[in-house]
Amino acid sequence: MGLAGRIILGDCIAAMESLPPASVDLVFADPPYNLQLQGELHRPDDSRVDAVNDDWDQFESFAAYDAFTRAWLSAARRVLKPDGSLWVIGSYHNIFRVGTALQDLGFWVLNDVIWRKANPMPNFRGRRFTNAHETLIWASREAKARYTFNYEALKAGNEDVQVRSDWFLPLCTGEERLKDDTGRKVHPTQKPEALLARVLLASSKPGDVVLDPFFGSGTTGAVAKRLGRRFIGIERDPAYARAAEARILSVEPLEEASLAAFTTAREAPRVAFASLIERGMISPGTVLTDEKGRYQAIVRADGALVAGPQVGSIHKIGALVQGAQACNGWTFWHVNDNGRLSPIDALRARIREEMGVA
Amino acid sequence: MGLAGRIILGDCIAAMESLPPASVDLVFADPPYNLQLQGELHRPDDSRVDAVNDDWDQFESFAAYDAFTRAWLSAARRVLKPDGSLWVIGSYHNIFRVGTALQDLGFWVLNDVIWRKANPMPNFRGRRFTNAHETLIWASREAKARYTFNYEALKAGNEDVQVRSDWFLPLCTGEERLKDDTGRKVHPTQKPEALLARVLLASSKPGDVVLDPFFGSGTTGAVAKRLGRRFIGIERDPAYARAAEARILSVEPLEEASLAAFTTAREAPRVAFASLIERGMISPGTVLTDEKGRYQAIVRADGALVAGPQVGSIHKIGALVQGAQACNGWTFWHVNDNGRLSPIDALRARIREEMGVA
DNA sequence: AATAAAGATGAATCCGCAC
DNA sequence: TGTGCGGATTCATCTTTAT
């Protein structure tokens, strides 16, 4: 088993410009945070906090950071497919700059998502609230994009309740945290795989191409490989890139059965109401009612419904009799099935079953 | 007892410019969010969502919104004392613009704080994550300010634990929500008093002057009066200002002794099956069975279960394989744990223990 | 009167294909 | 590129009505 993706060594803007346009389904970016730490930070016991102050994280000014941000976001936008989307993670130091820049460039914000940390670092000086979260922005390439969102699958894994914009997850520690020979962490801001897993499961499909322009220790690549996505990682530090490659090589992809897309109600093939009549499931002249028997309509041979002087589709007539804006006729209208009311949607389900679509 | 503060009727920028410089200890601002709503939105039951589409929330472009933001932030900065601080609340529609502007103007971000809504409006169309939070930015007037932060009092009121940057609070509804004679809400975006109470308790002292340039229905004034702070509220809509005045007049100030409480709302402990997978307690592809091994299902990476052609939650699939109406998947499904079947509910209990929600 | 069922509602950038 | 229309979609909480 190979890498199941590629790691490009070099500057992320140049590397993205070398990629073909509209070739990427999803971008996940964890850009430098522009932390303006003044001096070193010490814990109450005087031990030094291993803060994020590597060279790559220093920017002279907000203007320089903004220019850098616009440059990489523009490059990312070029390589994104029209229906692709982008995630960026950041903290209050940089996320407002990033959010403003991506809105200005035409990205369309879909959600901001809060990663609530289960075990954040306390505020040792007691001068602020414990900084217990980071912010992710999820945005489509443009306002009208038909982006991927696996709503039903996420809901099924979440007690049948739709997933909220605040996610509670532990930090990346322990076994998962990459360490070098001397036991020191390889990368200062390694993200937990659980976070990337949620991102990829929510907004990409198996086989999609996921680009991470700030690859670092390769969490995006590791999770992409495991979840059957392809990846492109760009990293300018050879040491990080080597660590990422070794890490990803040891990842086992999951079986297809635990990944396959399932057909949702939205994607299920259309069934015409007339086909119920053609198959003899409903006879012309049958009286349909709503669940409580308050409204009724008569089935015509051509699949239209009649309610008084009105003729129309099951949806139109359903809306009309209720005085509603819209109506799903499949769930609204019922037939009398041996003395019990049953929605005509049950008949549609039988047809779909025959068609071999669950 | 009078108002214990003043309400200025008029444009907030002009009004702030008429105030003396360096005269205010704290600013709390709830500016327009620039929502940019398109058409109407209906709930699945066809009822119409009462959207915020008031004139005051309409801006021509991001540039226009940015200009407005910079103008009011500049005016607010002038009236702030050197050691004063400022809070702004917003959503992803506007908060990045606000955060960028205030950083550019020299404010120093101390925290971003997440208001996690206990009862947010769902995403009715299932196209995004539930937008379940709003963001507050807390910033001092300048980087070296000796701002007020009542660390010890907050910690003491929070079970001796540092207060985190994510706050779980319900929406402003019920009795607290101001209604007019016809029973309609007075203001479309009234904030909960508990939110303002946390802000004022954290970052102001009794007797401090708190300025709210977007006073609306006067939540800031009501809480300020109750907590023994003075307030200046600026509101351009006379109807809102009148409602705010009447509201605040009926507020009783609290005794000083009872001011310190920083109580946390109780969160319903809910563990998603997907989180067992994220934490590596169950691997995708694992076969779950019932207690007697009669039924089985495969765990997907996203936390759904697969049984033959069917995909769904642990509860839905549990019900389906049994032909039952409903099923508690937590107690029905078991994993093979070293040759012994153990209910997945045992794994959930371990997570709950970690979360401290036994 | 007490309990249950039904209705209302909240800062929302909320569809997609065929013609 | 616009229009028409099939038909898919909701959670927690508080209030009102029914039993």
Side-chain angles (χ1 to χ4, degrees):
Chain A
M1 186 71 206
L3 205 56
R6 46 196 280 237
I7 302 175
I8 302 173
L9 199 63
D11 171 68
C12 76
I13 296 166
M16 282 193 275
E17 283 170 353
S18 75
L19 296 173
S23 58
V24 160
D25 296 286
L26 188 73
V27 173
F28 180 89
D30 182 11
Y33 277 25
N34 193 28
L35 295 185
Q36 293 159 339
L37 298 180
Q38 296 176 341
E40 293 186 341
L41 184 61
H42 291 265
R43 295 192 176 89
D45 67 1
D46 213 40
S47 65
R48 189 177 154 278
V49 174
D50 189 9
V52 179
N53 56 6
D54 293 356
D55 286 344
W56 52 258
D57 212 8
Q58 304 302 319
F59 283 86
E60 286 196 348
S61 64
F62 284 129
Y65 190 79
D66 291 346
F68 163 73
T69 301
R70 276 161 216 273
W72 76 256
L73 279 171
S74 298
R77 192 154 187 268
R78 191 188 67 88
V79 298
L80 263 180
K81 295 180 185 173
D83 289 337
S85 68
L86 162 133
W87 291 79
V88 194
I89 184 168
S91 68
Y92 66 79
H93 305 88
N94 70 325
I95 199 66
F96 309 129
R97 323 300 304 191
V98 171
T100 296
L102 65 82
Q103 285 179 320
D104 287 343
L105 290 172
F107 284 100
W108 191 246
V109 177
L110 298 168
N111 279 113
D112 56 338
V113 168
I114 303 305
W115 168 26
R116 296 201 300 126
K117 299 179 182 180
N119 42 355
M121 194 191 324
N123 186 287
F124 293 109
R125 295 204 172 125
R127 298 295 300 142
R128 304 178 182 194
F129 298 100
T130 305
N131 198 0
H133 73 275
E134 291 189 29
T135 301
L136 299 100
I137 301 175
W138 179 37
S140 57
R141 190 185 184 283
E142 41 218 299
K144 293 176 297 270
R146 298 196 311 255
Y147 54 89
T148 296
F149 182 52
N150 301 311
Y151 173 78
E152 293 83 1
L154 296 180
K155 186 176 170 180
N158 190 50
E159 299 289 284
D160 288 322
V161 175
Q162 59 180 218
V163 174
R164 297 170 42 116
S165 56
D166 55 328
W167 300 354
F168 185 73
L169 293 170
L171 294 173
C172 178
T173 56
E175 288 278 299
E176 189 185 320
R177 187 85 196 219
L178 292 191
K179 307 264 170 57
D180 64 17
D181 302 335
T182 66
R184 285 200 318 212
K185 53 194 180 195
V186 166
H187 194 277
T189 65
Q190 185 180 338
K191 295 293 175 288
E193 296 195 0
L195 183 71
L196 268 294
R198 276 203 194 184
V199 165
L200 297 192
L201 287 168
S203 56
S204 74
K205 297 190 284 276
D208 275 2
V209 174
V210 181
L211 168 68
D212 185 337
F214 307 97
F215 205 52
S217 54
T219 306
T220 302
V223 176
K225 181 180 175 188
R226 190 155 44 80
L227 296 180
R229 277 73 170 165
R230 293 173 287 168
F231 72 87
I232 302 171
I234 307 171
E235 175 53 48
R236 73 178 196 187
D237 182 324
Y240 290 161
R242 275 195 304 274
E245 181 170 3
R247 170 189 186 182
I248 296 167
L249 278 171
S250 72
V251 168
E252 283 292 327
L254 290 174
E255 298 290 323
E256 208 171 315
S258 54
L259 295 173
F262 61 88
T263 39
T264 64
R266 265 188 269 258
E267 294 157 340
R270 290 290 155 99
V271 173
F273 179 64
S275 62
L276 305 197
I277 301 163
E278 288 161 7
R279 289 171 186 239
M281 290 167 148
I282 290 187
S283 316
T286 302
V287 175
L288 302 184
T289 68
D290 69 304
E291 198 180 7
K292 302 203 172 150
R294 283 177 295 200
Y295 310 108
Q296 44 182 292
I298 300 165
V299 175
R300 277 184 11 168
D302 58 8
L305 289 195
V306 183
Q310 310 286 352
V311 182
S313 70
I314 52 173
H315 314 294
K316 272 266 174 68
I317 298 299
L320 212 137
V321 297
Q322 295 178 91
Q325 271 248 321
C327 168
N328 183 339
W330 290 108
T331 50
F332 179 74
W333 293 113
H334 291 61
V335 278
N336 193 321
D337 182 17
N338 290 322
R340 225 181 38 190
L341 285 180
S342 135
I344 57 176
D345 201 27
L347 302 173
R348 180 174 64 163
R350 271 180 29 208
I351 292 185
R352 283 186 173 156
E353 228 168 289
E354 287 171 32
M355 294 166 69
V357 191
Chain B
M1 186 70 203
L3 205 56
R6 45 194 280 236
I7 302 176
I8 303 173
L9 198 63
D11 171 69
C12 76
I13 296 166
M16 282 193 277
E17 284 170 352
S18 75
L19 296 174
S23 59
V24 160
D25 296 286
L26 188 73
V27 172
F28 180 89
D30 182 9
Y33 285 11
N34 190 24
L35 285 188
Q36 307 172 55
L37 303 178
Q38 309 289 338
E40 290 195 333
L41 178 65
H42 290 83
R43 298 184 180 82
D45 67 4
D46 202 48
S47 62
R48 195 178 67 84
V49 173
D50 185 15
V52 176
N53 51 10
D54 305 66
D55 287 342
W56 49 255
D57 200 43
Q58 306 301 320
F59 292 85
E60 271 191 13
S61 61
F62 279 131
Y65 187 79
D66 291 345
F68 164 74
T69 301
R70 276 161 216 273
W72 76 255
L73 278 171
S74 298
R77 193 154 188 268
R78 190 187 69 87
V79 298
L80 262 181
K81 294 180 185 174
D83 288 338
S85 68
L86 163 134
W87 290 79
V88 194
I89 184 168
S91 65
Y92 66 81
H93 310 86
N94 72 322
I95 200 67
F96 309 128
R97 323 300 302 192
V98 170
T100 295
L102 64 83
Q103 285 180 320
D104 287 344
L105 290 172
F107 284 99
W108 189 252
V109 178
L110 299 168
N111 278 113
D112 57 337
V113 168
I114 303 304
W115 169 26
R116 302 177 45 231
K117 299 181 181 182
N119 47 347
M121 186 159 71
N123 186 291
F124 295 116
R125 305 299 294 263
R127 305 302 304 174
R128 304 179 179 191
F129 298 101
T130 310
N131 196 358
H133 74 274
E134 293 189 25
T135 301
L136 298 101
I137 301 175
W138 179 37
S140 58
R141 190 186 184 283
E142 41 219 299
K144 295 174 298 267
R146 291 178 10 207
Y147 55 90
T148 296
F149 182 54
N150 301 311
Y151 176 77
E152 294 300 338
L154 296 183
K155 191 174 168 185
N158 191 46
E159 296 174 349
D160 269 329
V161 181
Q162 285 190 357
V163 175
R164 295 170 46 115
S165 55
D166 55 325
W167 302 352
F168 186 73
L169 294 169
L171 298 177
C172 178
T173 59
E175 286 281 298
E176 190 186 321
R177 189 87 194 214
L178 293 190
K179 307 265 170 56
D180 64 16
D181 303 334
T182 68
R184 285 197 318 208
K185 59 191 177 195
V186 166
H187 194 280
T189 70
Q190 185 180 340
K191 296 293 175 288
E193 294 196 0
L195 184 72
L196 267 295
R198 288 193 168 202
V199 166
L200 297 192
L201 286 170
S203 57
S204 74
K205 297 189 285 279
D208 275 2
V209 174
V210 180
L211 167 69
D212 185 335
F214 306 97
F215 205 52
S217 54
T219 306
T220 302
V223 175
K225 181 179 175 189
R226 177 167 312 118
L227 298 180
R229 276 74 170 163
R230 292 174 289 166
F231 72 85
I232 302 171
I234 307 171
E235 175 53 46
R236 72 179 192 188
D237 184 323
Y240 292 160
R242 275 194 304 274
E245 181 169 4
R247 169 189 188 184
I248 297 166
L249 279 171
S250 72
V251 168
E252 284 293 327
L254 287 176
E255 297 295 321
E256 187 147 358
S258 52
L259 295 190
F262 203 85
T263 47
T264 318
R266 194 54 90 189
E267 185 172 1
R270 174 179 266 158
V271 175
F273 180 65
S275 62
L276 305 195
I277 302 161
E278 286 167 355
R279 287 166 186 247
M281 291 168 148
I282 292 187
S283 311
T286 301
V287 175
L288 301 184
T289 67
D290 68 304
E291 201 179 4
K292 303 204 173 147
R294 286 174 296 197
Y295 310 109
Q296 48 181 285
I298 300 167
V299 175
R300 287 167 50 103
D302 47 31
L305 288 194
V306 184
Q310 309 286 349
V311 186
S313 68
I314 53 172
H315 312 296
K316 286 233 173 95
I317 296 299
L320 211 137
V321 295
Q322 296 177 91
Q325 280 283 315
C327 166
N328 181 347
W330 290 108
T331 50
F332 178 75
W333 293 111
H334 291 60
V335 276
N336 192 320
D337 181 17
N338 289 321
R340 225 182 38 195
L341 285 181
S342 132
I344 57 176
D345 203 26
L347 301 173
R348 178 170 68 160
R350 271 178 30 206
I351 289 190
R352 281 188 169 159
E353 229 167 283
E354 284 174 33
M355 293 170 69
V357 247

